């Protein structure tokens, strides 16, 4: 059966970079085809057009207008696309914060996910301390982060670190300065 692997975490933690690093080795280790679904890639242009129409700011990805109008439909579409690939027997890597879904323990609930029976699901929580994540966001210079940076005090209230005892379904990955051995351990866990 196919695999569904989520790379989740707050902005600037390196979710996409880590997923890109692991997709090739995962295909080699498992002998399975994978597709990578990054929320920003799938919905970035659409969201820019929609937010231009709603707020006049095509780069807004964090205001109440975005969160109220686009956030949930983007994630629903992301999961619909993942589901369709899984039904075709293609394993899927999904990249996105998905923090609300993490808090509700939904990403390992097959009935909530509506994935084919037997789908092997893993959720990787990619973590960085807030100060390092903020510094990385500043360094990457993505215009989509402007609202978040300008309203950091409001954004930071949504940041959280899931406690392992409360979220045993998560695979935690500290992305401050991972060594090759750390990445290899993660690969082994996901390919098992």
């Amino acid at each position: 059966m196919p695999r569904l692997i989520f790379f989740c975490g707050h902005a600037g933690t390196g979710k996409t970079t880590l997923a890109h690093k692991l997709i090739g080795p995962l295909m080699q280790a498992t002998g399975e085809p994978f597709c990578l679904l990054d929320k920003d890639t799938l919905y970035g242009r659409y969201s820019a057009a929609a937010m231009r129409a709603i707020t006049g700011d095509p780069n807004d990805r964090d205001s109440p207008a975005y969160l109220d109008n686009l956030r949930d439909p983007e994630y629903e579409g992301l999961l619909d696309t993942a589901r369709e690939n899984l039904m075709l027997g293609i394993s899927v890597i999904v990249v996105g914060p998905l923090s609300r879904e993490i808090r509700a323990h939904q990403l390992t609930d097959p009935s909530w996910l509506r994935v084919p029976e037997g789908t092997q699901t893993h959720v990787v929580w990619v973590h960085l301390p807030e100060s390092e994540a903020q510094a990385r966001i500043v360094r990457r210079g993505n215009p989509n982060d402007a609202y978040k940076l300008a309203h950091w005090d409001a954004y930071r209230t949504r940041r959280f670190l899931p406690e392992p005892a409360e979220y045993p379904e998560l695979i935690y990955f500290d992305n401050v300065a991972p060594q090759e051995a750390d990445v290899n351990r993660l690969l082994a866990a996901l390919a098992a």
Side-chain angles (χ1 to χ4, degrees):
M1 292 305 292
R3 299 166 198 263
L4 174 59
I5 301 173
F6 292 97
F7 283 83
C8 302
H10 300 297
T13 57
K15 302 177 296 293
T16 301
T17 302
L18 186 60
H20 285 187
K21 180 182 272 194
L22 286 174
I23 191 168
L26 270 169
M27 288 191 286
Q28 188 172 28
T30 63
E32 301 167 11
F34 273 82
C35 73
L36 186 137
L37 304 176
D38 185 313
K39 184 188 81 68
D40 292 338
T41 303
L42 284 173
Y43 293 101
R45 292 181 191 270
Y46 168 80
S47 295
M51 291 310 293
R52 182 180 290 113
I54 294 169
T55 68
D57 181 0
N59 298 315
D60 177 356
R61 295 299 184 283
D62 210 65
S63 71
Y66 170 81
L67 296 173
D68 293 344
N69 293 288
L70 294 183
R71 190 255 185 220
D72 290 346
E74 283 184 2
Y75 283 122
E76 289 163 8
L78 184 66
L79 293 174
D80 287 343
T81 306
R83 203 174 296 115
E84 186 171 19
N85 279 277
L86 293 166
M87 289 180 190
L88 294 170
I90 300 167
S91 292
V92 179
I93 291 175
V94 173
V95 180
L98 292 150
S99 54
R100 289 183 200 169
E101 293 76 10
I102 293 277
R103 285 183 194 257
H105 301 272
Q106 292 172 314
L107 298 184
T108 53
D109 178 354
S111 62
W112 185 84
L113 288 170
R114 300 186 327 272
V115 294
E117 188 174 333
T119 298
Q120 199 175 37
T121 304
H122 295 289
V123 183
V124 179
W125 180 263
V126 184
H127 174 69
L128 276 181
E130 179 185 336
S131 60
E132 178 62 22
Q134 185 180 21
R136 288 186 185 188
I137 291 169
V138 169
R139 279 195 305 269
R140 72 185 179 191
N142 186 329
N144 293 343
D145 294 322
Y147 187 96
K148 184 182 286 91
L149 289 170
H151 301 87
W152 190 263
D153 287 340
Y155 167 72
R156 70 192 307 260
T157 64
R158 296 198 317 271
R159 284 183 52 94
F160 75 110
L161 177 60
E163 291 296 327
E166 190 179 343
Y167 295 90
E169 69 270 24
L170 301 181
I171 299 170
Y172 293 84
F173 190 81
D174 183 335
N175 209 17
V176 172
Q179 303 298 307
E180 187 174 337
D182 301 318
V183 175
N184 289 338
R185 272 192 297 278
L186 178 58
L187 174 62
L190 298 176

